[in-house]
């Protein structure tokens, strides 16, 4: 796969989302490749040709925080999009994506970003198929994901992320505060984070 550029939540939100991601089920057998530990993110671009320096050069300067809004829980037909939350195409997110893609295209890196924008929450092997992917989505709806009218309107998703001293924690999106360069080669557990770059807010 090569290198990927990820938009990642702030540290607190990252921990909350990771805490509710599906784990390997104990009640039914699945492939060892299913349900690996993953880092919640939105892939801004991937390339088998780009170098780390090329990707850094493709980023806008300064890099600003990007608000992300969840839209819909979906089941896909690809390992890396087995169960995912599609994301609203906000002006800020689309502008960042298009800036990066155009810069990588100019450098001949042939970037891609299938089903942009989305946040995958389960990778499930093809041998476990549509049945397991649907089960994972159904279990999420039963425990973690609240959709539609319950969240205040169609086209919205909220994640139940446990409780705090202030009460129940809900996330309807996240603040994209870091962009990571990740080498995505081999099994997911062998992927390597090469660099983390923090977004900066305007100072009044």
């Amino acid at each position: 796969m090569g290198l990927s550029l990820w938009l990642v939540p702030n540290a607190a939100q990252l921990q909350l989302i990771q805490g509710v991601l599906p784990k390997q089920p104990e009640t039914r057998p699945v492939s060892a490749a299913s349900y690996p530990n993953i880092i919640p993110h939105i892939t801004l671009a991937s390339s088998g040709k780009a170098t780390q320096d090329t990707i850094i050069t493709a980023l806008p300067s300064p890099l600003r925080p990007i608000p992300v809004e969840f839209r819909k829980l979906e089941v896909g037909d690809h390992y890396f999009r087995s169960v995912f939350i599609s994301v609203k195409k906000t002006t800020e997110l689309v502008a960042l994506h298009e800036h990066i893609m155009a810069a990588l295209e100019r450098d001949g890196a042939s970037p891609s970003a299938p089903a942009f924008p989305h946040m995958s929450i389960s990778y499930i092997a093809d041998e476990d198929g549509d049945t397991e992917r649907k089960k994972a989505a159904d279990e999420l709806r039963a425990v973690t994901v609240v959709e539609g009218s319950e969240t205040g309107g169609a086209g919205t998703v909220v994640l139940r992320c446990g409780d705090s001293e202030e009460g129940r924690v809900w996330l309807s999106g996240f603040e994209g505060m870091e962009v990571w360069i990740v080498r995505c080669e081999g099994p997911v557990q062998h992927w390597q984070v090469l660099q983390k770059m923090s977004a900066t807010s305007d100072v009044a």
Side-chain angles (χ1 to χ4, degrees), residues 5-9 40-42 44 66 68 93 96 174 176 178-179:
L5 195 60
W6 293 358
L7 180 67
V8 179
H41 66 275
I42 293 172
L44 297 168
I66 302 293
V68 170
L93 182 58
L96 176 61
F174 65 78
E178 288 190 329
V179 172

Side-chain angles (χ1 to χ4, degrees), residues 23 27 29 36 47 71 79-81 93 95 104 110-111 148 159 170 178 189 200:
K23 309 297 183 187
T27 56
S47 173
R71 191 177 69 85
Y79 178 63
F80 295 122
R81 295 181 297 281
L93 182 58
L104 291 175
S110 302
L159 298 181
W170 305 84
E178 288 190 329
Q189 61 268 28
T200 57

Side-chain angles (χ1 to χ4, degrees), residues 20-61:
V20 298
L21 295 183
K23 309 297 183 187
Q24 279 219 343
E26 298 179 356
T27 56
R28 57 187 183 272
V30 296
S31 166
S34 294
Y35 298 99
N37 292 326
I38 62 177
I39 296 167
H41 66 275
I42 293 172
T43 299
L44 297 168
S46 294
S47 173
K49 298 180 179 180
T51 65
Q52 189 171 345
D53 286 342
T54 301
I55 288 181
I56 292 172
T57 303
L59 288 170
S61 181

Side-chain angles (χ1 to χ4, degrees), residues 1 15 20 44 56-58 61 80 85 89 100 123 129 133 142 148 150 152 160-161 163 171 185 187 195 203:
M1 288 175 58
Q15 186 175 20
V20 298
L44 297 168
I56 292 172
T57 303
S61 181
F80 295 122
I85 292 178
K89 291 186 176 182
I100 292 165
Y123 297 161
R133 289 168 183 162
E150 293 180 73
R160 294 189 185 101
C161 295
D163 299 305
L171 287 180
E185 296 177 355
Q195 190 167 347
V203 178

